[in-house]
Amino acid sequence: MEAKRRTEEMRDRVVLGEFGVRNVHTTDFPGNYSGYDDAWDQRRFEEAFRVDVIREEGDALEFDMVGIDAAIANAFRRILLAEVPLRPGWGCRPGSCGGNACVMGSGEGPALCQPLRAASGIGREAQVPTMAVEKVFVYNNTSIVQDEILAHRLGLIPIRADPRLFEYRNQGDEEGTEIDTLQFQLKIKCSRNSQAAKESSDPNELYFNHKVYSKHMTWVPLGNQTDLFPDADFRPVHDDILIALLRPGQEIDVLMHCVKGIGKDHAKFSPVATASYRLLPDITLLQPIEDEAAEMLQKCFSPGVIEIQNIKGKKVARVANARLDTFSREVFRHESLKDLVRLARVRNHYIFSVESTGILPPDVLVSEAIKILMGKCQRFLNELDSVPME
């Protein structure tokens, strides 16, 4: 029985010890364990696999993906960061690709327009593009923020603009046009408030415009964009992003060109702010822990992980919610406790955290990432079918 328990632990748990981590690598491949059938079985996979949405608040989404390998989980994370795929209507304007069967924006027909579908893969046009600041023309900058740092900060501000309305700018084009560029202006100067109390030391009272926010960025139409987008509300996604601090006499006067791009080109085009995963914690108390030891144990873990119950006049520790723990391994610093607790993580249970920049909701990002992973698998199968067998 002990040998079987150790085998199960090796297969299913990543164990955290005082001086290292055990069972890091996946070992449940065919033929590695006597008496176990680890050959791939689709029915068995479908029964074990599941996705549970735990929390969705605004631009943040937390969900569990259970029954997969680390390679699949990491592929999913990387797709979220750089390759979120096309929805019907993303990637080109209706009819702009020249396809006779183009149905972009019509709500009918296939998910991809015919030229893209015929490519048998996911190309640049099939990613979810966004608009971001690409070029910054500095006319005046007397703030303490260097021009290069200012340009970098502006580039990372997410822009609320539908990229379907614009074309990709051709490589080498220096001048933007109304069909491939959005233009913003940031012009602000700090001045002293003559009405402020003499004894005041609060910058908010002493100065006007001493904080430069993203809300100060204003859209400047290029060409005939006023006629093309009469109801447009092009602006930063968030109005309260702090760009710089100014003092009286200092000013910033810049012009920005926003272009269409994808996360593979630059991180500023990614619609995902963060996408990460961790394994589900598994905490086991190897024997009852009572009274002062129980209180000490509770302090070794994140709030809410260990709770203390009063049983027959004694304080008894129990694991309330292992999911909340960050595994600082503080318990191993206490000689009286370190042999009473086993810390592990469930090998095939991944807790994903996805935060959107606000351009697209996180549930859309996740569903589209699943689609592109399916597309990659289908493309691989197509490549295998096209290879002649000898």
Side-chain angles (χ1 to χ4, degrees):
M1 289 296 293
E2 179 64 19
K4 183 175 178 60
R5 186 192 66 80
R6 288 182 177 275
T7 300
E8 291 292 341
E9 179 183 280
M10 189 179 301
R11 288 167 57 86
D12 301 333
R13 295 292 186 270
V14 177
V15 181
L16 285 79
E18 184 177 2
F19 300 110
V21 182
R22 304 197 310 272
N23 309 335
V24 176
H25 303 290
T26 302
T27 57
D28 56 347
F29 47 85
N32 194 41
Y33 293 100
S34 176
Y36 289 88
D37 180 16
D38 289 323
W40 166 257
D41 183 79
Q42 183 173 342
R43 181 188 57 81
R44 190 166 57 207
F45 171 79
E46 291 176 354
E47 290 176 352
F49 178 75
R50 73 176 194 270
V51 176
D52 301 324
V53 177
I54 305 301
R55 176 177 57 88
E56 184 174 5
E57 298 175 358
D59 294 330
L61 174 67
E62 181 180 319
F63 65 95
D64 291 358
M65 193 173 286
V66 185
I68 58 172
D69 189 74
I72 302 298
N74 195 49
F76 185 70
R77 181 190 67 87
R78 291 175 67 90
I79 289 171
L80 273 170
L81 290 173
E83 299 182 61
V84 179
L86 176 66
R87 288 189 297 172
W90 286 106
C92 70
R93 298 160 73 182
S96 64
C97 59
N100 295 327
C102 185
V103 291
M104 290 299 181
S106 67
E108 302 174 357
L112 297 179
C113 69
Q114 296 300 326
L116 288 178
R117 222 158 54 91
S120 298
I122 303 297
R124 188 172 190 260
E125 290 290 334
Q127 317 299 319
V128 167
T130 62
M131 303 294 289
V133 174
E134 177 72 9
K135 292 185 179 295
V136 178
F137 302 92
V138 181
Y139 293 98
N140 194 6
N141 176 24
T142 55
S143 71
I144 63 170
V145 182
Q146 298 96 328
D147 294 351
E148 295 84 354
I149 303 301
L150 178 63
H152 184 266
R153 292 179 67 83
L154 293 171
L156 293 176
I157 295 175
I159 303 298
R160 189 181 297 281
D162 191 341
R164 291 173 292 181
L165 302 173
F166 300 90
E167 305 289 350
Y168 286 102
R169 183 185 285 192
N170 293 326
Q171 204 168 21
D173 285 358
E174 294 295 331
E175 297 294 330
T177 66
E178 63 269 17
I179 65 170
D180 60 23
T181 302
L182 264 181
Q183 185 172 256
F184 286 87
Q185 185 180 40
L186 176 61
K187 189 172 185 179
I188 188 169
K189 184 174 183 178
C190 179
S191 60
R192 193 177 299 275
N193 180 12
S194 59
Q195 305 298 321
K198 291 184 178 180
E199 65 276 7
S200 176
S201 60
D202 184 2
N204 293 319
E205 297 180 9
L206 293 173
Y207 314 123
F208 292 120
N209 297 328
H210 76 289
K211 289 184 177 181
V212 183
Y213 288 105
S214 52
K215 65 182 179 182
H216 295 123
M217 294 170 55
T218 57
W219 173 46
V220 180
L222 270 176
N224 64 339
Q225 284 184 343
T226 305
D227 299 325
L228 286 173
F229 316 118
D231 301 321
D233 183 25
F234 300 132
R235 57 183 177 83
V237 172
H238 306 285
D239 292 333
D240 57 349
I241 299 176
L242 184 64
I243 299 174
L245 294 175
L246 302 179
R247 285 299 179 262
Q250 294 181 345
E251 64 177 306
I252 294 176
D253 183 7
V254 298
L255 202 63
M256 294 157 277
H257 281 184
C258 301
V259 301
K260 181 176 176 178
I262 59 173
K264 273 188 172 181
D265 297 336
H266 195 284
K268 65 186 177 184
F269 293 114
S270 175
V272 179
T274 59
S276 62
Y277 63 80
R278 61 190 178 98
L279 291 173
L280 178 71
D282 178 38
I283 301 172
T284 306
L285 303 184
L286 302 178
Q287 67 182 58
I289 301 177
E290 302 172 345
D291 299 328
E292 292 183 4
E295 294 179 345
M296 186 185 301
L297 180 72
Q298 187 181 45
K299 295 177 181 178
C300 292
F301 293 91
S302 302
V305 175
I306 302 294
E307 72 173 11
I308 296 178
Q309 296 178 324
N310 196 317
I311 301 177
K312 297 180 180 180
K314 291 186 177 181
K315 296 178 180 179
V316 180
R318 65 174 290 270
V319 179
N321 189 355
R323 183 189 185 91
L324 300 176
D325 196 43
T326 56
F327 276 174
S328 64
R329 292 191 276 186
E330 171 71 16
V331 68
F332 292 127
R333 298 180 61 188
H334 302 273
E335 290 293 332
S336 59
L337 295 176
K338 66 180 184 180
D339 294 327
L340 306 181
V341 182
R342 188 196 72 164
L343 303 184
R345 290 186 183 271
V346 182
R347 184 185 299 280
N348 67 347
H349 190 136
Y350 294 86
I351 302 173
F352 275 87
S353 298
V354 180
E355 182 180 347
S356 168
T357 59
I359 299 174
L360 292 173
D363 59 321
V364 172
L365 298 174
V366 170
S367 62
E368 298 304 319
I370 293 173
K371 290 178 185 177
I372 197 171
L373 184 57
M374 292 169 61
K376 285 175 176 284
C377 294
Q378 186 59 53
R379 184 177 182 181
F380 180 67
L381 292 175
N382 293 342
E383 290 292 332
L384 290 178
D385 292 339
S386 65
V387 175
M389 301 295 293
E390 295 183 357

